[in-house]
Amino acid sequence: MNHAPRLILLENTFLPDAHANLFAVLAEDEDGDTLTYTWSWHGPASECGQDQGPGPGGEATRIYYHGECSAALEAQTYVTVTVSDGKGGVVSHTLGLRDEGSFDLTGQ
C-alpha cells in the first residue's frame, strides 16, 4: 500500500533586494519514495510577476519575482505547491503571495 506524501512546513520569505519571494516546502514520504514538486501561481500578480524557477533548495523551493506588481494585486495572488510521490500519492497546499512567514502544515 502506497502512502501519500506529508507536508510538514511551508515558508515564504520576502527578498526585498530582488523584489521577490522565496517559497520553500518541507515534505516527507513514509514509503521513502522520491518526491517531485510542482508550483503554480493563481491571481492577478501572475500577469505582472514571473516564476524565476527553483531557489537554493532545488525543486522544493521557488522564487517568484513581482517587482512590477502592485500590493493590491499581490494580495489577491496565491501559490500552490503540489508534492507527488510518483505512485499516485499527492498532497498540495495553497498560500497567499503576501502571507509571509513559516507555516506548520503537520496538522493538515
Side-chain angles (χ1 to χ4, degrees), residues 8-99:
I8 299 170
L9 185 71
L10 182 58
E11 295 180 338
N12 178 6
T13 306
F14 180 59
L15 308 171
D17 293 340
H19 302 286
N21 283 61
L22 170 64
F23 294 89
V25 65
L26 178 60
E28 66 182 11
D29 186 84
E30 183 178 330
D31 306 311
D33 298 326
T34 299
L35 300 177
T36 58
Y37 304 86
T38 305
W39 299 85
S40 59
W41 312 95
H42 318 279
S46 60
E47 297 293 322
C48 54
Q50 183 180 19
D51 182 348
Q52 297 290 295
E59 293 297 320
T61 63
R62 210 67 174 183
I63 297 175
Y64 192 75
Y65 170 77
H66 51 87
E68 306 301 320
C69 304
S70 70
L73 296 180
E74 292 170 6
Q76 300 173 54
T77 302
Y78 300 88
V79 58
T80 299
V81 60
T82 302
V83 181
S84 172
D85 65 6
K87 297 181 179 176
V90 177
V91 64
S92 64
H93 187 78
T94 299
L95 183 68
L97 180 60
R98 295 185 58 94
D99 294 337

